[in-house]
Amino acid sequence: MSRKITFLTLFLLLMTVTFPVIAQQKTDTTYTFRFVPQKDMFYVPWNGNDTELARLLECIENSKATIFDDKLPLLVDGYCNSLGGEAENLTTAKIRANRVKSELITRAKIKEENFITHNHATGGDFVTVRLTVPVKETAVTDAEAEARRKAEAERLETEKRTEQERLAEEQRKAEEARLAAEKAEAEKAALQNALAGTPSETKITNDYHLSLRANLLRWATMTPDLGLEWRICPSCGIAVNGSWTSWSWNDKDRRYALWEVAPEIRYYMGEKKAWYLGAMFKAGQFNYKLSETGKQGDLMGGGITTGYQLRMNKALGLDFNLGLGYLNADFEKYEVIDGVRVRRGNETKDWWGLINAGVTLVWKLF
């Protein structure tokens, strides 16, 4: 009986001595919160963050008194390595750590001074929160915490390597798709050129042609007008238009007659070679008697022309053109008395302004 009492006494004494040590040998607890690469927003329901947050809040609630006595600080470490430079990574890591701390301050009613924060530009895209133990804790606890830290680092490195491999595979597939699209486009262009029977660079030679021209505005005033244009190259053309008419009425007391020749050099512009600038020379003779006094003489001049050719089909087009410049008219005045022209003097006039206007029908001959 005395032996049992002695054994029980020694057992109780041993438990009394070792219980505080056992109580002190709790290990560090690490809570990890994931962040989307290159982002600083803390998504609570994402990637297990809600479960981890619930665990951490429960632990804080159980240790709140020790935390508020500054005996159990919360170590917060922010990590980011998905941005271009170290400064950017450190800035994002700091923002991430602050977002996690704000969540804890709001939910657990703790204060900023209860945290110890460090930020890192390496390791991954996450934030860890650790509840530390006093310095007098055993080396076994520190070893277990270090083992867990290493295991977590290895897991994060594996995730990072997997993500890098996934991105590399996506880039490879995108590059293959781009090359395939370029090859298909090149094959399509080669097929179109083969069907056209000529390389794309020489298609513009279709504009080397001779065209017949008729100024519809002249024809509307009963003045027949015809001309030719030769496109000696895609950008250059030589045109010449001629007009002639001779009308008399009221027993030949009234008369409207003229002839004109207007050669022109043109320079075509733009991708479609539709707009142009040119230089025109004009010469001719006229005989007008639309009142009691008639005018008969010569005209000569020239100027700058501009216009636009609207192609309607392969053979027909419309040429809208204007000419600005100078004309000189040297003429004599006359009256008709008993069927005889009686001269009434000479006159010369100079004209600056509009010297030509036309809506010309263009017919491609070949």
Side-chain angles (χ1 to χ4, degrees), residues 72-304:
L72 189 62
L74 280 74
L75 297 184
V76 180
D77 288 86
Y79 294 85
C80 178
N81 66 347
S82 57
L83 296 174
E86 182 179 359
E88 294 178 287
N89 285 322
L90 286 175
T91 300
T92 302
K94 180 180 179 181
I95 295 174
R96 291 173 173 176
N98 288 338
R99 292 193 188 279
V100 174
K101 290 193 296 184
S102 297
E103 195 73 22
L104 296 176
I105 290 172
T106 302
R107 296 192 182 215
K109 309 302 182 184
I110 56 179
K111 301 178 181 180
E112 175 66 32
E113 52 265 27
N114 299 129
F115 297 100
I116 298 176
T117 307
H118 296 92
N119 299 306
H120 313 273
T122 59
D125 293 283
F126 59 93
V127 171
T128 62
V129 179
R130 288 188 294 124
L131 295 178
T132 62
V133 295
V135 177
K136 62 182 180 180
E137 292 185 349
T138 64
V140 175
T141 301
D142 293 338
E144 291 176 353
E146 180 66 18
R148 284 197 301 272
R149 189 191 66 79
K150 289 183 178 181
E152 179 67 14
E154 291 176 357
R155 188 182 68 80
L156 293 175
E157 183 64 25
T158 301
E159 288 183 357
K160 177 182 177 182
R161 185 166 54 252
T162 303
E163 180 67 14
Q164 289 176 345
E165 291 175 353
R166 184 185 66 81
L167 292 175
E169 181 65 16
E170 289 181 356
Q171 291 177 354
R172 184 186 64 79
K173 291 181 178 179
E175 182 66 15
E176 289 179 353
R178 184 184 68 80
L179 293 175
E182 290 180 354
K183 182 179 179 181
E185 187 66 23
E187 291 176 351
K188 180 180 177 181
L191 179 60
Q192 290 177 346
N193 292 336
L195 293 176
T198 178
S200 58
E201 292 79 6
T202 61
K203 285 184 179 180
I204 200 169
T205 57
N206 291 336
D207 286 333
Y208 289 63
H209 58 256
L210 186 67
S211 300
L212 182 64
R213 302 164 50 82
N215 190 336
L216 302 181
L217 295 183
R218 284 283 195 171
W219 284 88
T221 60
M222 298 183 294
T223 305
D225 178 278
L226 290 175
L228 293 172
E229 181 182 5
W230 179 33
R231 292 287 287 272
I232 59 177
C233 71
S235 299
C236 296
I238 299 176
V240 59
N241 268 59
S243 302
W244 177 90
T245 189
S246 180
W247 297 90
S248 60
W249 64 95
N250 196 18
D251 198 20
K252 296 186 179 181
D253 187 52
R254 296 291 184 264
R255 184 164 179 77
Y256 169 64
L258 66 84
W259 68 263
E260 287 182 358
V261 176
E264 181 183 359
I265 299 176
R266 293 179 170 183
Y267 176 73
Y268 288 87
M269 302 171 293
E271 181 180 354
K272 297 182 179 180
K273 304 299 181 184
W275 291 97
Y276 64 85
L277 289 174
M280 172 186 287
F281 174 78
K282 179 179 285 192
Q285 293 181 337
F286 61 91
N287 187 349
Y288 302 146
K289 189 175 187 300
L290 307 178
S291 61
E292 294 299 323
T293 302
K295 299 177 181 179
Q296 180 177 345
D298 303 325
L299 63 87
M300 184 178 297
I304 303 300

